[in-house]
Amino acid sequence: MKKFIQLVLALGVLFFIASPLVQAEVPNTPINWGFKKGQEGRPADAGKEREKLIERYGAVYKGDPNKKEIYLTFDNGYENGYTNQILDVLKKEKVPATFFVTGHYLESAEDQVIRMVEEGHIVGNHSYYHPDLTQVDDARVKRELEKVQALTYELTGQKHMSYLRPPRGVFSERTMKLAKDAGYTHVFWSLAFVDWNRDQQKGWEYSYNNIMRQIHPGAILLLHTVSKDNADALEKVIKDLKKDGYTFKSLDDLFADKELDHPMLHKK
């Protein structure tokens, strides 16, 4: 019995040593992205601990709170018939956006992805199979990102992919480090609401009011393209925010400004 117990303990030690998740160089404790919502023009606040990770890994969730600039981002897990309407509005209003796509979206909505790139938008990485990246090993994380980048390039010719939005809004310091080592920057958000339930749409005013209630200088908006509410509200949102003095910028603009303010920020 004593030898059996020793064998079990030895196997346990070997598993502990071999496990890529346990042996991570940095903590792999899952973190669900969240923040105190902005209101009356005041920026959202993610809190000190999340702010530290944001700064450590060069990530973002909002821009300059002193500039009335907005960054539109959309998550595209699957096509629900509204992306072309959204693209029509963006084209009409000359507004740039970033679309974070999954493998399923790339495989099932090729025309929309091609149109995004052709019309000057950024296609970002939302992982291929949309897993909780904190629960898969390093090799799987890398495959998830590489497959999205490769298929995006095959479809659109977009060679470079810089931005990652973690699936389900779940991340850890480990997954942030893996992404950064692979050349990605985590892009979170400072404005969002429940808009992804396609069978629980409430009308365009629901989307419009949620956006206008939380809007603030430097806001990074997260919207889902499966939402009819979002598609129907978008043109009025853009026009009214422009009237209020806001301008719409791309994530590339945001990082260019950050590098001008902090020249050594992205130096290795």
Side-chain angles (χ1 to χ4, degrees), residues 35 45 54 68 71 93 99-100 102 106 108 127 136 142 148 155 163 172 182-183 200-201 212-213 220 242 253-254 267:
F35 51 87
D45 184 0
I54 290 286
K68 296 187 81 170
Y71 307 90
E93 294 297 324
F99 294 86
F100 289 95
T102 63
L106 288 164
S108 61
S127 80
V136 300
K142 293 173 183 175
V148 169
L155 290 176
Y163 308 119
S172 67
Q200 298 179 26
Q201 297 296 291
M212 303 306 279
R213 189 180 300 121
I220 296 179
K242 284 179 176 179
D253 294 327
L254 173 58
K267 303 296 183 184

Side-chain angles (χ1 to χ4, degrees), residues 19-257:
S19 171
L21 297 180
V22 174
Q23 211 185 5
E25 297 176 8
V26 292
N28 191 48
T29 305
I31 303 168
N32 289 283
W33 180 248
F35 51 87
K36 181 180 179 181
K37 292 182 178 181
Q39 57 182 340
E40 297 179 350
R42 293 193 299 274
D45 184 0
K48 290 183 179 179
E49 292 305 312
R50 288 185 177 87
E51 292 274 7
K52 286 179 183 177
L53 283 176
I54 290 286
E55 183 176 359
R56 186 177 303 157
Y57 291 97
V60 294
Y61 76 99
K62 60 184 178 182
D64 190 332
N66 299 308
K67 295 180 180 178
K68 296 187 81 170
E69 296 173 345
I70 299 173
Y71 307 90
L72 268 182
T73 71
F74 296 88
D75 282 6
N76 292 66
Y78 62 94
E79 180 55 39
N80 194 35
Y82 300 111
T83 303
N84 279 331
Q85 181 181 344
I86 288 169
L87 287 167
D88 288 345
V89 171
L90 297 176
K91 184 176 183 179
K92 178 181 177 182
E93 294 297 324
K94 298 181 173 58
V95 167
T98 300
F99 294 86
F100 289 95
V101 299
T102 63
H104 179 275
Y105 195 86
L106 288 164
E107 291 176 352
S108 61
E110 295 180 6
D111 291 346
Q112 283 80 7
V113 178
I114 291 169
R115 184 180 172 188
M116 291 168 191
V117 173
E118 286 181 345
E119 296 184 358
H121 302 295
I122 297 168
V123 174
N125 205 318
H126 199 34
S127 80
Y128 206 84
Y129 292 108
H130 205 260
D132 177 346
L133 296 179
T134 69
Q135 300 304 306
V136 300
D137 63 26
D138 292 6
R140 169 74 184 276
V141 173
K142 293 173 183 175
R143 286 198 305 273
E144 288 282 338
L145 304 185
E146 288 170 355
K147 288 185 72 174
V148 169
Q149 183 172 9
L151 186 49
T152 301
Y153 174 62
E154 181 182 327
L155 290 176
T156 70
Q158 176 184 290
K159 293 182 179 180
H160 193 53
M161 189 169 271
S162 305
Y163 308 119
L164 168 67
R165 175 153 287 157
R168 313 178 193 189
V170 181
F171 65 103
S172 67
E173 186 168 358
R174 165 184 162 264
T175 61
M176 292 187 82
K177 184 178 187 303
L178 285 171
K180 186 175 182 181
D181 289 346
Y184 284 90
T185 298
H186 270 66
V187 176
F188 297 99
W189 58 92
S190 64
L191 194 162
F193 52 96
V194 178
D195 66 343
W196 56 84
N197 294 322
R198 64 178 183 177
D199 298 325
Q200 298 179 26
Q201 297 296 291
K202 303 175 182 180
W204 70 267
E205 290 180 327
Y206 170 77
S207 176
Y208 177 87
N209 290 335
N210 270 284
I211 293 170
M212 303 306 279
R213 189 180 300 121
Q214 297 182 56
I215 201 67
H216 62 85
I220 296 179
L221 279 68
L222 163 58
L223 301 173
H224 288 84
T225 57
V226 297
S227 167
K228 184 179 188 301
D229 293 349
N230 288 342
D232 290 344
L234 186 60
E235 184 170 353
K236 182 170 174 57
V237 165
I238 291 172
K239 286 182 174 179
D240 286 356
L241 288 174
K242 284 179 176 179
K243 288 177 184 176
D244 196 31
Y246 281 95
T247 58
F248 290 82
K249 298 292 191 75
S250 76
L251 291 179
D252 285 347
D253 294 327
L254 173 58
F255 282 94
D257 289 344

